[in-house]
Amino acid sequence: MKWSTQITKAGFLLLPAIFCFQLVIAQDLKPGFDADEYLEMLRVTARQVDSPGSVTFPAPEQFTMEYRSVAGPMDNRWELWANSNKSIIVISVRGTTRKPISWVQNFYSAMIPAEGSLQLNDSTTFQYKLAADAKATVHVGWTIGLGTMAPGIIEKIKEYNSKYQSKQVIVTGHSQGGAVALLLRSYLHYEMEAGRLPGNLVLKSYNGAAPKPGNLYYAYDYDYITRSGWGFTVVNALDWVPETPFSLQTLRDFNNLNPFTDMDKALKKQSWLVRLYLKRVYGRMNRKSNKAQRVFTKYLGTTISKQVKQAMPQLRIPEYQPNMNFTRAGVPIVLQPDTDYLKQYPDSGDRVFIHHGLMPYYLLTQRIYGKNP
């Protein structure tokens, strides 16, 4: 009887410890889309917005803001949030603001290699690797924005890893913030690979309403390094922003081994009349698509870079790649609007951002994934 009483008492004493242990385990990041995690990321993102509407948006439930960076020359900003025991930290990247330079950054969409360097000013060079494939290219404006924030982000991740043993990192953003966060997720992966970040980090990303960050080969690389459920791009099917930037595929945007590289060889077995016709069609397609790419790069690169230079006078404009083949990256989580949604957010009128805001994404996620508003 005495032993039984002692065992029972010991069991009650162990309950709080077991509960705490289970709570910590429950807070570990797991692969796969988690609607609760994404909703919390939207609540975190809402605190980036300096407007009265952000106050009425539901407050974060699991995370507390611990650091906010100063705004960079193109008005990029990021925050660090942490859960109660700091086992998980969130890097939240702000989206487009009302400042003209923030919009200029979006339109500055010429392509540059996904690995290289950018001379941001006379004393700062941003060395970056965002993909392993030499054919991968990325949006120049958002890469510059990343470069202005990357050193501070790396410093804070190292600090929390050393001081609090924070090993789990969620990278998130909405709109422009989502596009930059995609590039950031890639950057952190290759910084870990190079040994400049702790190798024991677990990275997960949720990016909402994100425009397309790079070309097909960048997207392949991103989807590969986040494989098995660690990188998600959430899209409202009526939101036009994820359809940007303008995209154009030319015949040289294919993999090296393809039937278009040597058209003469491909047409060798055809009759001379067929060869003549198809070569003429191929030539026109090739010339016109290449000309269109040059026009895109001229206006969305060379021309608009003059406005970027006003904000960053010492920036050395990089050499652009002959590529505008933008595509989406990340496992797509599609939020398909229903009739109830359309009553609240009609798909008509002149409110072009009606489907792009945080609240439409928040409500659709709740409805689709069974989280009652």
Side-chain angles (χ1 to χ4, degrees):
M1 188 70 175
K2 184 177 180 181
W3 279 103
S4 176
T5 303
Q6 288 177 342
I7 291 172
T8 302
K9 288 181 178 179
F12 279 116
L13 290 172
L14 284 171
L15 280 176
I18 293 171
F19 177 79
C20 290
F21 176 77
Q22 290 177 335
L23 184 61
V24 171
I25 294 299
Q27 291 177 331
D28 284 348
L29 295 180
K30 295 178 176 61
F33 179 74
D34 185 320
D36 285 323
E37 280 181 346
Y38 177 60
L39 289 170
E40 181 72 350
M41 293 305 101
L42 285 174
R43 292 189 285 263
V44 166
T45 299
R47 267 49 199 175
Q48 281 272 22
V49 181
D50 299 323
S51 71
S54 64
V55 178
T56 60
F57 202 91
E61 299 173 358
Q62 304 295 328
F63 292 87
T64 303
M65 186 176 70
E66 303 215 345
Y67 176 81
R68 171 181 281 183
S69 75
V70 298
M74 288 197 287
D75 214 27
N76 297 106
R77 190 176 74 187
W78 64 277
E79 295 173 347
L80 185 146
W81 292 65
N83 63 349
S84 58
N85 64 3
K86 295 181 174 56
S87 61
I88 304 175
I89 60 174
V90 175
I91 304 298
S92 170
V93 182
R94 182 168 70 175
T96 308
T97 70
R98 295 181 180 182
K99 291 188 177 181
I101 190 60
S102 185
W103 287 93
V104 167
Q105 182 183 17
N106 294 334
F107 288 108
Y108 188 30
S109 56
M111 289 278 208
I112 58 173
E115 181 176 5
S117 63
L118 288 170
Q119 189 76 35
L120 302 180
N121 56 50
D122 289 346
S123 60
T124 306
T125 299
F126 176 47
Q127 299 281 349
Y128 65 90
K129 182 176 181 180
L130 307 177
D133 193 332
K135 298 189 296 297
T137 57
V138 290
H139 185 288
V140 61
W142 297 327
T143 306
I144 292 172
L146 171 64
T148 64
M149 297 185 290
I153 293 172
I154 295 294
E155 180 183 348
K156 279 294 179 183
I157 291 176
K158 286 182 176 179
E159 176 189 332
Y160 273 67
N161 181 264
S162 174
K163 190 174 180 179
Y164 305 110
Q165 289 72 56
S166 306
K167 298 181 177 66
Q168 302 177 86
V169 182
I170 300 177
V171 179
T172 193
H174 189 86
S175 190
Q176 180 195 87
V180 177
L182 283 160
L183 300 180
L184 172 60
R185 172 63 180 83
S186 298
Y187 179 71
L188 295 179
H189 172 86
Y190 288 106
E191 287 296 287
M192 287 174 61
E193 190 177 83
R196 290 186 288 269
L197 270 178
N200 61 355
L201 296 178
V202 175
L203 305 176
K204 192 171 187 179
S205 59
Y206 287 101
N207 305 293
K212 297 171 285 187
N215 73 345
L216 180 63
Y217 301 107
Y218 168 77
Y220 282 163
D221 193 276
Y222 182 91
D223 290 347
Y224 180 73
I225 65 175
T226 61
R227 65 190 179 278
S228 303
W230 293 101
F232 299 94
T233 299
V234 187
V235 179
N236 178 347
L238 291 178
D239 185 1
W240 64 270
V241 173
E243 299 171 349
T244 61
F246 294 112
S247 185
L248 174 70
Q249 184 180 31
T250 67
L251 293 172
R252 61 169 169 267
D253 290 322
F254 289 87
N255 270 308
N256 296 332
L257 188 60
N258 68 74
F260 309 111
T261 302
D262 190 347
M263 185 55 66
D264 288 334
K265 185 177 180 180
L267 298 176
K268 193 172 183 180
K269 295 181 180 181
Q270 303 296 326
S271 68
W272 70 270
L273 188 61
V274 171
R275 287 201 306 272
L276 180 65
Y277 174 75
L278 290 181
K279 285 180 69 174
R280 182 183 180 190
V281 170
Y282 171 84
R284 285 185 174 181
M285 290 172 56
N286 194 31
R287 288 192 299 273
K288 289 182 180 295
S289 61
N290 288 338
K291 181 179 179 181
Q293 176 270 309
R294 290 193 298 271
V295 171
F296 276 37
T297 300
K298 175 184 176 182
Y299 288 106
L300 300 176
T302 306
T303 301
I304 208 164
S305 69
K306 297 172 184 177
Q307 297 181 57
V308 177
K309 286 281 285 185
Q310 294 178 15
M312 303 178 69
Q314 297 174 343
L315 173 70
R316 294 187 183 179
I317 301 301
E319 183 176 349
Y320 308 128
Q321 297 297 293
N323 182 293
M324 288 295 290
N325 189 25
F326 281 100
T327 192
R328 180 177 61 190
V331 175
I333 303 297
V334 179
L335 305 178
Q336 193 67 252
D338 56 14
T339 54
D340 288 337
Y341 172 89
L342 289 172
K343 289 177 183 177
Q344 190 171 0
Y345 298 99
D347 193 33
S348 60
D350 57 0
R351 297 174 60 192
V352 296
F353 288 102
I354 191 171
H355 304 302
H356 184 62
L358 294 174
M359 189 55 75
Y361 275 77
Y362 193 81
L363 294 178
L364 278 174
T365 302
Q366 289 179 316
R367 290 173 184 173
I368 293 170
Y369 290 92
K371 311 297 178 182
N372 293 325

